[in-house]
Amino acid sequence: MFIFRLVFVTIINIISLLIFPTDAIRSFPAENGLDLSLEFSKAPDYRNGVKCPSSANNHGVGLTSGCNPSLVHIAMTIDSEYLRGSMAAVHSVLKHTSCPDNIFFHFIVSDSGSVNPDDLTRTISSTFPLLSFRAYVFRENIVRDLISSSIRQALDNPLNYARSYLADLLDPCVKRVIYLDSDILVIDDIQKLWEVSLTGSRVIGAPEYCRANFTKYFSAEFWSDAELAEVFAGKTPCYFNTGVMVMDLVRWREGDYTRKIENWMEIQKERRIYELGSLPPFLLVFGGDVEGIDHRWNQHGLGGDNVVNSCRTVHPGPVSLLHWSGKGKPWARLDSGAPCQVDFLWAPYDLYKPHNHHQQKRRQII
Ligand SMILES: *[C@@H]1O[C@H](CO)[C@@H](O)[C@H](O)[C@H]1NC(C)=O
């Protein structure tokens, strides 16, 4: 029986190799990977309304430099595990903004190979034919030696640190960018977030949570070292989530904040000053100097706790951005047949079409 199955599977593989010569290897997803090819439906065409500032976006996909001043810049990282989330996130931004032609996406992929930038460009172009974007490759070596292992392994992914390098990666003509995680949905006009002012010399804006116990983000060793703890002297630092940030790249570049973050990561390598991954260096550098944006722009925690099957509900009040931070992701819970209520909010933005794809393939094979 086993031998028979093995032979059968081998024959199917050979047939599929013959039918899909260029695609054959990639059409079988890697263990945790998502197959990039032909897996997403084309999104509806979202176009500018009449009141939009004119944009020189000519939809030369991947070619426009993005230096036009009327553009709204959004940066996201893309990896195979979260690709489905990223596509839904982009979809949500375009669906709810009044001027979709003025949005420019900067997609960062890692050079470790989980997503090939050419595959990504093809997939984005076929899913969002009108979208202006550029794909960048993040060299993981830049941070690999700076990362010390954290309590949750998913947080050690070098790509999580790419947000600290946006000022270097993006063209110097890009003066401001909104960084977004991949497990989010924007259900309001992103233009409103884009227009928040960063007062004084503030470099980043994000919703702050001042009732969270800030002490617990750092170790006792950190707080007991007066020289280190001095970083918060005269400040009232609050927790903020780095999954949604408005970043002033001009001030960032001037103040060389990337190096400031790296310096803290170097200290962490020698002395255990915090537990979590890429967040604490941001808290150390910006805590107390963050422009507090309305909480509606980051309803985080919808992924639930690290406890399996724990569901969260959306807090009362206005919501502009939903964020499935935490361990559970809506696409995984929907697929598993045990979704949380909040996951049904995510489903309408999902563009993934695995079933059609595989059915088509099976029909062709037969
Ligand atoms: C905050 O957390 C620290 C460290 O876990 C703890 O010692 C302290 O009592 C907490 N403070 C409050 C107000 O809960």
Side-chain angles (χ1 to χ4, degrees):
M1 193 60 199
F2 174 74
I3 298 282
F4 172 75
R5 203 180 296 159
L6 194 70
V7 169
F8 179 74
V9 168
T10 308
I11 289 171
I12 292 293
N13 281 347
I14 290 168
I15 292 173
S16 64
L17 275 169
L18 294 174
I19 298 176
F20 313 106
T22 54
D23 215 32
I25 313 285
R26 278 188 290 113
S27 65
F28 295 95
E31 63 271 52
N32 60 357
L34 193 61
D35 178 13
L36 265 183
S37 55
L38 308 170
E39 297 281 10
F40 294 91
S41 315
K42 184 186 157 309
D45 291 338
Y46 298 107
R47 304 305 304 264
N48 272 4
V50 284
K51 290 187 204 140
C52 294
S54 74
S55 146
N57 254 2
N58 53 8
H59 307 300
V61 174
L63 298 174
T64 41
S65 73
C67 287
N68 185 301
S70 59
L71 295 176
V72 169
H73 295 278
I74 302 174
M76 293 179 90
T77 60
I78 305 253
D79 74 357
S80 55
E81 224 177 310
Y82 280 44
L83 176 63
R84 189 168 163 194
S86 308
M87 299 297 259
V90 172
H91 185 193
S92 71
V93 168
L94 297 175
K95 183 177 166 65
H96 293 280
T97 189
S98 45
C99 303
D101 289 332
N102 295 30
I103 308 283
F104 193 101
F105 276 91
H106 303 265
F107 296 115
I108 324 284
V109 300
S110 137
D111 63 350
S112 73
S114 108
V115 173
N116 172 305
D118 297 332
D119 287 348
L120 176 70
T121 300
R122 262 195 302 278
T123 303
I124 303 274
S125 305
S126 62
T127 309
F128 306 104
L130 303 175
L131 190 68
S132 298
F133 69 94
R134 198 177 148 193
Y136 304 75
V137 175
F138 177 62
R139 298 206 321 280
E140 288 197 351
N141 266 343
I142 293 178
V143 285
R144 199 173 277 125
D145 294 339
L146 283 171
I147 299 174
S148 15
S149 58
S150 68
I151 47 170
R152 241 176 79 197
Q153 260 185 5
L155 301 174
D156 296 333
N157 183 349
L159 199 54
N160 283 340
Y161 296 83
R163 71 196 84 187
S164 323
Y165 294 88
L166 293 175
D168 293 340
L169 281 167
L170 273 47
D171 192 293
C173 72
V174 180
K175 297 187 168 72
R176 171 179 281 221
V177 71
I178 296 173
Y179 172 80
L180 297 176
D181 270 351
S182 299
D183 49 0
I184 61 103
L185 285 182
V186 178
I187 54 170
D188 194 356
D189 194 341
I190 193 87
Q191 188 82 33
K192 296 181 199 163
L193 180 59
W194 177 251
E195 282 162 8
V196 302
S197 51
L198 302 179
T199 51
S201 57
R202 284 175 175 163
V203 181
I204 66 168
E208 289 191 290
Y209 304 89
C210 295
R211 276 183 303 186
N213 185 346
F214 193 79
T215 313
K216 69 178 176 141
Y217 293 98
F218 301 96
S219 66
E221 181 175 354
F222 172 81
W223 292 114
S224 62
D225 185 320
E227 217 176 305
L228 294 178
E230 172 82 357
V231 67
F232 296 123
K235 294 180 180 175
T236 314
C238 296
Y239 167 77
F240 62 95
N241 180 285
T242 52
V244 179
M245 294 185 283
V246 177
M247 308 165 91
D248 184 318
L249 295 180
V250 175
R251 290 177 193 165
W252 185 293
R253 292 177 185 117
E254 278 169 8
D256 205 0
Y257 284 91
T258 302
R259 300 293 98 69
K260 287 178 177 149
I261 288 171
E262 286 182 339
N263 287 344
W264 282 110
M265 292 172 75
E266 269 158 23
I267 293 172
Q268 164 74 351
K269 281 213 70 120
E270 282 163 24
R271 312 174 53 181
R272 203 71 185 174
I273 58 172
Y274 52 78
E275 295 298 337
L276 288 168
S278 61
L279 169 69
F282 267 87
L283 297 181
L284 287 161
V285 172
F286 297 109
D289 290 318
V290 172
E291 181 77 28
I293 292 173
D294 194 307
H295 286 173
R296 66 189 299 157
W297 286 102
N298 195 347
Q299 266 284 317
H300 65 116
L302 301 180
D305 304 316
N306 294 345
V307 181
V308 183
N309 294 335
S310 65
C311 289
R312 296 267 189 92
T313 50
V314 179
H315 293 270
V319 179
S320 298
L321 186 148
L322 298 159
H323 187 185
W324 278 260
S325 57
K327 213 168 189 183
K329 299 303 165 199
W331 54 91
R333 288 196 298 225
L334 287 160
D335 280 0
S336 76
C340 294
Q341 277 302 317
V342 287
D343 300 338
F344 294 112
L345 299 173
W346 184 86
Y349 298 89
D350 187 17
L351 295 165
Y352 188 52
K353 48 162 191 180
H355 302 302
N356 297 341
H357 182 43
H358 293 309
Q359 272 159 15
Q360 268 167 19
K361 198 170 269 186
R362 208 168 300 131
R363 265 200 301 279
Q364 277 173 286
I365 289 171
I366 290 162

